[in-house]
Amino acid sequence: DVLDTPQPNTSGDMGARAFGGDPYWVGRLGEAYIRGLHLGADGKMITVAKHFPGHGGSDRRPDEEVATVNKSLQELYRIELAPFFAVTKAGKLGSPSVTDALMSSHIRYRGFQGNIRQLTRPISFDAQNLPALMLLPEFTAWRDAGGLLVSDSLGLPAVKRYYDPSLSTFPYRQIAQEAFLAGNDLLTLSQFALSGDWTEQYEHITATITFFQEKYVSDAVFREHV
């Protein structure tokens, strides 16, 4: 992430979680960090670059409430996306400085397709705009070579509030399905219940897996997507 809009002493500030505010140097430092992890682990560790397609210009941290970035795709190209381009280098998946995966963010983008009054869904659940990002020429070869999309935690409070602001229900099957259909290859089913009770989370996780199994058998379109 590029720390494009520092917000010191607020819940939205990324602080030391970002490499800085210059897209070029964030990309260079990101490459070096990924290369160090790959080489230091002798190829036994994968890296997941986040928060795709960019969190540094958002109005809050995306953990507790869905954040918003007020930028068009052209503006994202100039700042937020540049470091992700640097660490996906088309056609070079397997190179030490190229990330194995990107983590899609639970962030909405205003003006993404040119209409500043229009908000995307949280991009991790947006079956129109997340695939459109993956079709950018800078990502297509990396994706075709096996680059993965990983969802952020699908049980974060931000997700729960997005699907039910009253926090009285948690439609976990719908959440997992929409994240998958948006293009995420790996779904992170953590914090996967309204409560912190592990027993309830376990029941939701197993029920979600069963739901996906049944849908794979009964739904040809879903099966093709898998």
Side-chain angles (χ1 to χ4, degrees), residues 8-223:
N9 303 318
T10 71
S11 62
D13 191 56
M14 297 193 68
R17 299 170 68 211
F19 282 123
D22 183 309
Y24 171 78
W25 284 111
V26 172
R28 290 294 303 273
L29 291 166
E31 288 181 84
Y33 186 77
I34 289 166
R35 184 168 59 250
L37 290 175
H38 281 149
L39 297 179
D42 196 23
K44 295 181 175 64
M45 179 183 289
I46 70 166
T47 62
V48 185
K50 64 177 189 177
H51 304 75
F52 182 76
H55 166 36
S58 65
D59 59 350
R60 68 199 72 193
R61 287 187 63 173
D63 297 343
E64 295 296 325
E65 190 175 349
V66 171
T68 301
V69 172
N70 294 307
K71 290 187 179 183
S72 67
L73 182 56
Q74 289 72 26
E75 291 172 302
L76 292 176
Y77 245 97
R78 187 171 58 87
I79 297 176
E80 276 81 0
L81 285 170
F84 291 105
F85 294 153
V87 300
T88 54
K89 291 191 184 70
K92 294 183 180 178
L93 190 65
S95 170
S97 61
V98 172
T99 191
D100 307 279
L102 301 175
M103 190 193 79
S104 60
S105 67
H106 302 320
I107 296 176
R108 298 177 297 186
Y109 294 82
R110 188 188 303 277
F112 185 83
Q113 300 290 2
N115 183 352
I116 198 64
R117 290 183 295 276
Q118 186 174 4
L119 272 172
T120 68
R121 302 188 71 204
I123 206 74
S124 47
F125 300 103
D126 196 321
Q128 176 183 352
N129 290 305
L130 184 57
L133 283 168
M134 288 294 95
L135 289 175
L136 294 176
E138 291 84 354
F139 293 128
T140 51
W142 175 83
R143 190 78 165 125
D144 290 343
L148 295 173
L149 278 179
V150 181
S151 79
D152 200 347
S153 169
L154 296 183
L156 283 176
V159 175
K160 293 168 182 169
R161 288 193 176 93
Y162 179 76
Y163 278 88
D164 182 0
S166 70
L167 294 179
S168 59
T169 62
F170 179 55
Y172 57 90
R173 293 183 183 89
Q174 177 189 356
I175 289 169
Q177 176 175 287
E178 291 187 358
F180 174 69
L181 294 177
N184 292 286
D185 304 296
L186 300 177
L187 306 180
T188 307
L189 307 185
S190 62
Q191 300 171 257
F192 211 53
L194 281 178
S195 72
D197 178 26
W198 168 246
T199 303
E200 186 179 4
Q201 293 185 54
Y202 176 79
E203 290 173 356
H204 288 176
I205 291 168
T206 54
T208 300
I209 293 170
T210 301
F211 169 66
F212 270 57
Q213 289 174 321
E214 293 170 349
K215 196 160 185 65
Y216 181 86
V217 172
S218 64
D219 187 331
V221 175
F222 185 83
R223 183 163 58 250

